[in-house]
Amino acid sequence: MNKVEICGVNTSKLPILSNEEKKELLIKIKNGDKEAREEFINGNLRLVLSVVQRFSGRNECADDLFQIGCIGLIKSIDNFDLSLNVQFSTYAVPMIIGEIRRYLRDNNIVRVSRSIRDIAYKTMQVKEKLTKETGKEPGIEEIAKELEVTPEEIAFSLDAIQDPVSLQEPVYNDGQDSIYIMDQVKDVKNTDELWAENITILEAMKKLNDKEKLIVNKRFFDGRTQMEVA
């Protein structure tokens, strides 16, 4: 997060645009000037950098976050309305933050479908709302009734969005030897039961071309970052 160069960009030499320059470039952009658009993007990369630094405690690859932030910046430029009479940064920062948060949410180690995540987030919102209204924490049945889903769906969705815990996580230490989660876990399942899933993945991979196979293998099986894959 303290790198001078990020995604091949020397952040110490990023240009700074005045408010007048930004306004002039935005007008040109709305008229289809591609060079003005490029200049405006480069002139606002410091904005992306400042947002990325807010996520420095998440141990995420700064290069990946910077690229995602640039996507948010470009979306902000394409959707910005000059008639709103607000600073571009006021509009862009929430867009950039939202894009990065969406990436972090969707890029968890454990992939969870959007519908399940939506139920989980709605559950937390309803829980907070009912707690404020009634002065007490609602039960799962109350939340399920409010969302018109089953209690089982609520429980499943909340479990699904929990961060995975490392098997090397210590659960007890007496000052000498530590007990780790893996010491208390016993696999009683037959791993051969995963054969159907493996076959499905292999069949799907066959439909990809060589470049697509390389990207998928590097990103999801070798654990490379987007920047490294690129």
Side-chain angles (χ1 to χ4, degrees), residues 1 48-58 93-94 97 101:
M1 287 296 174
V48 177
L49 192 64
S50 67
V51 172
V52 167
Q53 288 171 339
R54 299 186 187 188
F55 296 87
S56 59
R58 300 189 61 113
V93 168
I97 291 174
R101 282 179 175 165

Side-chain angles (χ1 to χ4, degrees), residues 2-15:
N2 297 314
K3 295 194 304 181
V4 172
E5 187 170 295
I6 186 167
C7 293
V9 177
N10 188 333
T11 58
S12 67
K13 296 182 179 180
L14 288 175

